[in-house]
Amino acid sequence: MRAPGAIKSALGAVMSSVGPYDRNGSTNGHKPYRYSAFDLLRHGFSQADWPRAWRRHDPKSSYDVVVVGGGVHGLATAYYLAKNHGITNVAVLDKGYIGSGGSGRNTAIIRSNYLTPEGIRFYDRSVKLYETLSADLNYNAMFAQRGHLTLAHNDSSLRTMRWRAEVNKLEGVDSEVIGPDEIKKLVPFMDTSEDVRYPILGALYHPPGGIIRHDAVVWGYARGADALGVHIHQNTEVTGIDVTGGKVSGVRTKRGDIATPVVVNCTAGWSTLISDMVGVKMPVSTFPLQAAVTEPVRPFLNPVIVSGTLHVYVSQTDRGELVFGASVDPFTSYSMRGSLEFTEGLAGHVLELMPSLAKMRLLRQWSGLCDMTPDFSPIMGVTPVAGFFVDVGWGTYGFKAGPVSGETMAALIATGKMPDLIAPFSLDRFASGSLMGEKGAAAVGH
Amino acid sequence: MILLPCPYCGPRNVSEFRYVGEVSERPDPNETGVEEWRTFLYTRNNPVGWTTETWFHSAGCRQHLIAERHTMTNEVRASRLPEAQLPEGQEERATGGNVAGDGGGAIY
Ligand SMILES: Cc1cc2nc3c(=O)[nH]c(=O)nc-3n(C[C@H](O)[C@H](O)[C@H](O)COP(=O)(O)OP(=O)(O)OC[C@H]3O[C@@H](n4cnc5c(N)ncnc54)[C@H](O)[C@@H]3O)c2cc1C
Ligand SMILES: [Zn+2]
């Protein structure tokens, strides 16, 4: 398909107006702007700049709620506080630019075929929210539900997949185990022969799974929250949290002190540093996770493909690039440097699955920080310090959970009642020994 | 190159090692309570900065070792054998921290 020049440049204008940080966050008080097909066309002809997607403010001396971390979790929490509960005196603080953490680095896989009933219900609510997110936010997040395949190369993973499929079905999630012939139909060039080192015995097939444009999700929530009155403060690092009489009373930032009765920790890989500020200990370790992308080629790969045994997964973006990922780096670190071990291992495993990709060239590799927990499940809710909430432990799988986490955390903060969906993920489950056991569905298949 | 100094083998590529985790004091199973035990099992310090941790030289001498590593730069400043592994009557055997001098040390 070939777009006429005007539409093409209009698309260009959309991309650049919502693009890099320095173009956004102006102080102009523009009225929230609705995007539409007509405006796209009009801008294409006029070549005029688009209004800023969200505004910049000076920090106020106090807010009702301060969210630390401007990733999808922090921004969604602020958005739903304003939209569902009318709490608009809210600030989102980020030490860098919004989306500079995992939310701008992930491989954007969305799915709900987890292993535990609690996990499945929770992630499935997020998939439902993602399905209507573009319309709700008036911002195209390009959610493509192309299907998600988790390959089994041995009997034990096939067994876990059958287990997962049954629990998925019980929870009403579309999920089934399919054999090599059906896999071949979905992905014709995959090597499903028996005489390879890791023959494919079957796969867990999850049709509603897919990929999304992660930047657009972050920017869409930022724009939506801004329009409802939320203040987004970039380059505003939190350096301390004040607690008075067991209750949160304010945060200290590099741009001054802010009084607030409620602080929400949405800082993923950095979350133990924030919790340490109020003396809350969490079972979280920060591991880097790397990913890589190839040059774009014509569309040939529809579903997302994951192989736990080979520690690799791949999807093709709308632009045609292949996005590859793997499991976390082998040791904890706050460094976001890529490694040659990763690229080497990745290339070997990808070629095992799809030998025809031998001539593809990698364009880039990058790394992000993941807040791993012992049971591959998040930590959400209240803490021993009144007014200090956590929404962390997102590991390698938290992007898909952005919408439902925002919705439930906002409900918890606004009503003081723990939503059923997140009750199993409380911090005190570690002391009481009620861990979740989601590893079988979350280790490589983010 | 990512190098970890093994007290037995000298500086080796980090891919030869298995990361075990932060060193933490294990409470006496006969004395401890459930909460303290679970804190020991699950809670980590996860600092930005220097941390003391256990590694296992799985593709080398197959010994455990203790290393001091900076979690932001991945620099390793010292490594030694765990006390439990010292032969009787022998002092702790430490490997000099700054292997950077001979071409590595910082692990990235
Ligand atoms: C390579 C990679 C691939 C991934 N793939 C997937 C996937 O396919 N599907 C999936 O669901 N998930 C995936 N994830 C995981 C997902 O990216 C994260 O779980 C998710 O983005 C976490 O979002 P968040 O909003 O909680 O945190 P983040 O997006 O990490 O945001 C945290 C923010 O906190 C800010 N911050 C930190 N400290 C401070 C401070 N002191 N003061 C102020 N701000 C601070 C940071 O600047 C950052 O912007 C992947 C992650 C990586 C790295
Ligand atoms: Zn050794």
Side-chain angles (χ1 to χ4, degrees), chain A residues 128-205:
Chain A
K128 298 272 154 36
L129 287 168
Y130 267 129
E131 281 171 351
T132 58
L133 192 69
S134 295
D136 294 345
L137 294 176
N138 176 232
Y139 204 95
N140 190 359
M142 300 169 145
F143 186 22
Q145 294 182 284
R146 313 221 209 122
H148 183 280
L149 280 174
T150 316
L151 305 177
H153 302 273
N154 52 49
D155 283 339
S156 69
S157 30
L158 203 54
R159 229 177 2 252
T160 313
M161 276 167 204
R162 293 223 170 85
W163 174 10
R164 269 169 78 180
E166 293 312 316
V167 189
N168 289 170
K169 283 181 214 160
L170 269 178
E171 295 297 331
V173 167
D174 191 357
S175 173
E176 60 177 326
V177 174
I178 61 174
D181 295 346
E182 282 153 288
I183 299 174
K184 191 87 188 168
K185 271 185 226 145
L186 289 166
V187 194
F189 56 89
M190 186 132 69
D191 190 349
T192 50
S193 55
E194 281 169 15
D195 52 356
V196 291
R197 176 140 180 237
Y198 301 101
I200 295 169
L201 305 184
L204 184 65
Y205 180 41

Side-chain angles (χ1 to χ4, degrees), chain B residues 49 52 66 80 90:
Chain B
T52 308
I66 310 285
R80 59 174 194 270
Q90 196 173 314

